Amino acid sequence: MIFRTAWSRTGIQTSQIFGSVEGFGDSSFNDHTVESDLHKSISPIMRLRDLSPSAAIISSLLATPQLSAAFYLPGVAPTSYKFDDIVPLHVNRLTPVGSQVDGTLRSVVSFDYYHDAFHFCRPPGGPKDVSESLGSILFGDRIRTSPFELKMRHNETCKSLCEEKFDLSSAHFVNRRIAQGYALNWLVDGLPAGQLIEDEVTGTKFYSQGFALGSSNQKEMHLNNHYDIVVDYHEVTEGQFRVVGVIVQPSSRLSPEMGNGGAVKNAGICGYGGPPLTLSETAETPVHFTYSVYWVPSPTAWATRWDKYLHVFDPKIHWFSLINSAIIVIFLTITVISILLRTLRKDIQRYNRLDSINLDDLSGTSAVDDGVQEDSGWKLVHGDVFRTPGSPLILSIFLGNGAQLFVMTGFTIAFALLGFLSPSNRGSLGTITVLLYTVLGFIGGYVSARVYKAFSGERWKLNIALTPTLVPGIVFGTFFLLNLFLWAKQSSGAVPFTTMLVIVLIWFVISVPLSFAGSWVGFRQPAIQPPVRTNQIPRQIPPSTTYMRPIPSMLLVGILPFGAIFVELYFIMSSIWFSKVYYMFGFLFLCYGLMIITCAAVTILMVYFLLCSENYHWHWRAFMTAGASAFYVFVNALVYWVTKLQLGGLAGSVLYIGYSALISFLFFILTGSIGFFASWLFVQKIYGSIKID
């Protein structure tokens, strides 16, 4: 797939544009002239080839950009500006993006915009932090004020920011970041500044998010020190304007005085056409930062301004994968239901018919009885199938947290599907996820207590204490250790220590008490009674066939739920590591439903075969077999690491593997719980349908 900047379609030179505004100085000039020139001709360079499939995550919900209007809720009010009003331009972290050559990612560490080595110009009095949500901070956003002055409909050319000198270490640091493909991220009135890109396959134009820190050739690295900022505005009423789009075209210019023509600086050329800027690693390099601002009228309404950023890259891929998964799941479910219904109906009828026969009259020689024992062994273990499993405390804790994750994931996807999680509200997805999991601590404690009581557990105090602390403690401990690597790399992605304390405070003030309350309510409920009595002496388990042993059965069953989410998982991972926006929650909702059905169906089928082989240790097997799909998620992450990433150094590899393992662990808890509860319900139903003397 090939993309290009839409400005490179014509042969008109940038100097022609600047020439058209010569004489206007800092005053407002003809907007239509700027619109026709800028959208046709700024930068006759830059073709973006093969941005990697990760770009496909910037698409609309179910391929319908019109739904983006639902993103704007009460409280997210638009800001209107008058002529010459200051429009804030905030700066965010620098993030690595996919290479323009091969689409690979060469780093996973982000950096603060005002990192000392970048020497970016600072506003008078120093930059000030812009308030952010909890999710935005956790995801690494560091939004601050900037020295850029944007006045509504006030065009300015070659405006000087500052002059900085790069020493040898700073030059080496910046050159390495340019080689790794880092991008700047600005926000103008909440909209990300990017570049106008054209999809040459479909001819669709859209706005990318972020723009390059610099460019490189085979010999040198060039730092972009001049920015042409083009702001689309929409006139709401007479004299009231709103920002509806932002494009930045960066360029590398050695000096504002070194360009085409004569008095180029006064003409506003600002060094265009001159030699590019190269940071020397053997001597100090002076750098002059400049920018120009152009305002372009646009018919785009404020409510649909995000449509330009949410581009669909061949939605047929999504639909094909979704339909393919749906067909597989439907056939799988029909197969499981047909097998179980036909077999179980015959088994239950035969068992109930046997119970109505006086077996003493048959003198123990009934061929029917032998046939039942030979063909259907699941009734033979009725006295052991509800025996307490090994390590019931750990299993109940995992199941409680799995139920909590299940409800949290469902609510989060539902909120996103209804448009409550807006891309304009940065970090809303992370914030709602953390808050939901915290508030749903009651469900975790309640489910864990009910399960543990059904297992006849005696250490109920330990169950109450560990349910809200064991799994969250593992997650928080891993997250804290990985955060140490980010701190060591001076990355903006490192969560501040104060934010860590806030998370711990939220957890122990809200989630833990709610979990305790849920456990208290759960233990006060009557125990879930099995439909059959449990024998005092455990039955001996015969040797099992190869495919019914733990490891082979886990590998066979675990791959099916993974197959239902494989394609969507690829786009989610690309959004995480390539710093893209993911909001295709319609597809995600359907994939989540398919995964639940698949987990339940294949685990029930495995448990049925396990019971037929007279093995009644189904509790952990059901949990581990369904949870084995997390193994394939982790393997997929490793394959993604090898094929899409080229991370140099230990820190990047540790961060990627660590976060992938953390996600896989949570997925293991989630899918394992789905498989267990489906199997538990199945076992309760089939043993409750037969008559046991």
Side-chain angles (χ1 to χ4, degrees):
M1 188 175 292
I2 300 175
F3 309 96
R4 63 177 179 178
T5 54
W7 291 336
S8 64
R9 297 193 313 269
T10 66
I12 302 176
Q13 299 297 316
T14 308
S15 57
Q16 292 179 263
I17 300 170
F18 293 124
S20 67
V21 301
E22 181 178 0
F24 287 90
D26 290 344
S27 63
S28 176
F29 54 87
N30 191 297
D31 295 317
H32 297 285
T33 302
V34 178
E35 178 184 22
S36 60
D37 286 341
L38 284 174
H39 282 289
K40 292 181 180 178
S41 53
I42 291 184
S43 178
I45 58 174
M46 187 176 180
R47 291 177 63 86
L48 301 179
R49 296 182 180 272
D50 192 11
L51 289 180
S52 85
S54 66
I57 60 169
I58 307 182
S59 59
S60 62
L61 180 61
L62 292 177
T64 53
Q66 293 81 2
L67 293 181
S68 62
F71 282 137
Y72 300 99
L73 304 171
V76 187
T79 302
S80 298
Y81 302 92
K82 297 180 181 179
F83 178 76
D84 257 5
D85 280 355
I86 297 295
V87 179
L89 188 155
H90 296 147
V91 294
N92 200 355
R93 56 178 177 160
L94 277 76
T95 54
V97 296
S99 170
Q100 297 179 9
V101 178
D102 54 8
T104 59
L105 190 70
R106 290 177 168 82
S107 178
V108 295
V109 179
S110 59
F111 290 98
D112 188 271
Y113 183 86
Y114 291 112
H115 190 287
D116 292 337
F118 288 118
H119 292 280
F120 287 131
C121 304
R122 299 170 180 259
K128 295 180 174 58
D129 293 332
V130 178
S131 60
E132 303 175 59
S133 64
L134 177 61
S136 180
I137 296 175
L138 291 177
F139 287 159
D141 283 341
R142 301 295 180 266
I143 304 175
R144 298 183 179 181
T145 57
S146 73
F148 295 90
E149 291 185 0
L150 276 64
K151 298 179 180 179
M152 175 58 70
R153 296 192 61 197
H154 191 118
N155 298 289
E156 298 179 282
T157 58
C158 199
K159 190 169 183 180
S160 177
L161 272 177
C162 67
E163 293 189 27
E164 295 286 341
K165 291 185 178 180
F166 283 72
D167 54 26
L168 278 62
S169 61
S170 297
H172 176 75
F173 179 86
V174 174
N175 285 337
R176 181 169 175 79
R177 302 291 86 79
I178 294 174
Q180 291 176 330
Y182 274 73
L184 279 70
N185 296 278
W186 293 354
L187 298 171
V188 178
D189 192 47
L191 275 180
Q195 291 184 287
L196 184 63
I197 306 297
E198 180 176 347
D199 185 343
E200 291 192 348
V201 175
T202 61
T204 306
K205 302 185 188 70
F206 62 97
Y207 289 2
S208 68
Q209 297 195 51
F211 52 93
L213 171 64
S215 59
S216 63
N217 52 35
Q218 296 180 352
K219 297 181 180 179
E220 297 176 329
M221 304 293 170
H222 304 306
L223 173 66
N224 292 329
N225 62 327
H226 176 80
Y227 312 102
D228 288 318
I229 306 172
V230 182
V231 185
D232 296 338
Y233 69 90
H234 178 72
E235 186 172 5
V236 185
T237 58
E238 183 68 26
Q240 297 291 326
F241 310 97
R242 293 174 181 172
V243 176
V244 294
V246 185
I247 302 172
V248 176
Q249 183 69 10
S251 57
S252 179
R253 304 180 182 183
L254 181 60
S255 172
E257 289 81 11
M258 299 179 64
N260 295 331
V264 291
K265 183 175 182 180
N266 295 329
I269 302 302
C270 211
Y272 175 78
L277 172 66
T278 301
L279 298 180
S280 173
E281 298 186 17
T282 59
E284 194 174 68
T285 306
V287 177
H288 190 180
F289 289 95
T290 56
Y291 70 99
S292 301
V293 185
Y294 308 99
W295 296 86
V296 180
S298 172
T300 303
W302 185 88
T304 59
R305 63 178 186 167
W306 274 92
D307 291 0
K308 305 173 185 178
Y309 296 87
L310 307 177
H311 175 65
V312 179
F313 288 84
D314 195 6
K316 294 180 181 178
I317 298 176
H318 268 283
W319 284 116
F320 177 78
S321 64
L322 187 63
I323 294 173
N324 182 60
S325 299
I327 292 174
I328 293 175
V329 169
I330 290 173
F331 275 106
L332 176 65
T333 306
I334 292 176
T335 302
V336 171
I337 292 175
S338 62
I339 291 175
L340 294 182
L341 286 183
R342 290 180 60 187
T343 307
L344 286 174
R345 185 182 295 113
K346 292 180 181 179
D347 291 346
I348 293 172
Q349 290 176 355
R350 187 181 298 116
Y351 288 147
N352 292 337
R353 186 171 61 252
L354 276 175
D355 289 331
S356 64
I357 298 175
N358 188 351
L359 296 181
D360 293 336
D361 296 338
L362 300 176
S363 303
T365 60
S366 174
V368 178
D369 186 39
D370 293 338
V372 170
Q373 293 187 20
E374 181 179 351
D375 295 337
S376 304
W378 60 270
K379 186 185 177 183
L380 300 179
V381 296
H382 68 83
D384 300 276
V385 71
F386 292 102
R387 192 176 300 278
T388 301
S391 303
L393 178 63
I394 300 299
L395 181 58
S396 63
I397 292 172
F398 282 169
L399 292 173
N401 283 270
Q404 192 173 346
L405 279 172
F406 177 79
V407 178
M408 178 213 72
T409 306
F411 273 116
T412 302
I413 296 177
F415 285 152
L417 188 64
L418 295 174
F420 286 91
L421 304 183
S422 168
S424 63
N425 185 10
R426 303 183 68 87
S428 57
L429 179 61
T431 302
I432 197 67
T433 300
V434 173
L435 293 181
L436 276 177
Y437 191 80
T438 302
V439 174
L440 292 173
F442 181 89
I443 293 179
Y446 178 81
V447 172
S448 177
R450 292 298 304 271
V451 171
Y452 191 60
K453 191 170 184 179
F455 290 162
S456 302
E458 298 178 353
R459 296 185 292 176
W460 58 273
K461 293 182 179 179
L462 195 58
N463 175 272
I464 294 175
L466 290 181
T467 297
T469 56
L470 180 61
V471 173
I474 294 173
V475 174
F476 183 82
T478 305
F479 183 77
F480 181 79
L481 291 177
L482 295 175
N483 204 53
L484 294 178
F485 284 90
L486 293 173
W487 277 336
K489 297 288 289 185
Q490 297 181 331
S491 169
S492 65
V495 178
F497 184 72
T498 53
T499 305
M500 290 277 197
L501 292 180
V502 169
I503 294 176
V504 174
L505 186 64
I506 291 175
W507 192 257
F508 281 98
V509 171
I510 300 177
S511 184
V512 172
L514 286 175
S515 179
F516 286 173
S519 297
W520 181 79
V521 173
F523 278 116
R524 288 180 61 87
Q525 300 297 316
I528 301 175
Q529 297 297 330
V532 294
R533 294 190 302 270
T534 301
N535 297 333
Q536 294 182 353
I537 302 176
R539 180 185 179 89
Q540 185 176 3
I541 300 175
S544 58
T545 56
T546 302
Y547 72 91
M548 288 305 300
R549 292 176 181 173
I551 300 299
S553 62
M554 289 169 60
L555 294 177
L556 287 173
V557 176
I559 196 172
L560 295 174
F562 169 75
I565 62 168
F566 168 71
V567 175
E568 204 63 32
L569 181 63
Y570 175 84
F571 292 120
I572 293 174
M573 291 181 62
S574 298
S575 70
I576 294 174
W577 300 112
F578 282 80
S579 302
K580 302 294 183 180
V581 175
Y582 180 89
Y583 73 106
M584 294 180 294
F585 296 104
F587 289 109
L588 184 60
F589 176 77
L590 296 176
C591 287
Y592 186 59
L594 293 176
M595 185 203 70
I596 294 172
I597 297 173
T598 308
C599 271
V602 296
T603 310
I604 288 173
L605 190 60
M606 189 278 302
V607 168
Y608 173 73
F609 288 146
L610 189 71
L611 296 177
C612 286
S613 64
E614 302 179 26
N615 188 339
Y616 51 84
H617 293 159
W618 63 271
H619 303 82
W620 275 106
R621 289 289 295 275
F623 184 84
M624 297 295 293
T625 302
S629 55
F631 168 76
Y632 289 98
V633 171
F634 186 71
V635 171
N636 177 71
L638 296 181
V639 173
Y640 190 87
W641 178 35
V642 173
T643 57
K644 293 296 179 183
L645 309 180
Q646 295 180 3
L647 306 179
L650 177 65
S653 300
V654 170
L655 287 170
Y656 178 83
I657 295 176
Y659 283 123
S660 298
L662 192 59
I663 294 173
S664 300
F665 173 71
L666 294 176
F667 193 76
F668 166 74
I669 300 294
L670 172 63
T671 54
S673 299
I674 294 173
F676 176 87
F677 285 115
S679 301
W680 197 9
L681 179 62
F682 167 73
V683 172
Q684 290 272 358
K685 289 293 184 181
I686 64 172
Y687 284 97
S689 302
I690 60 175
K691 300 176 182 179
I692 304 295
D693 292 335

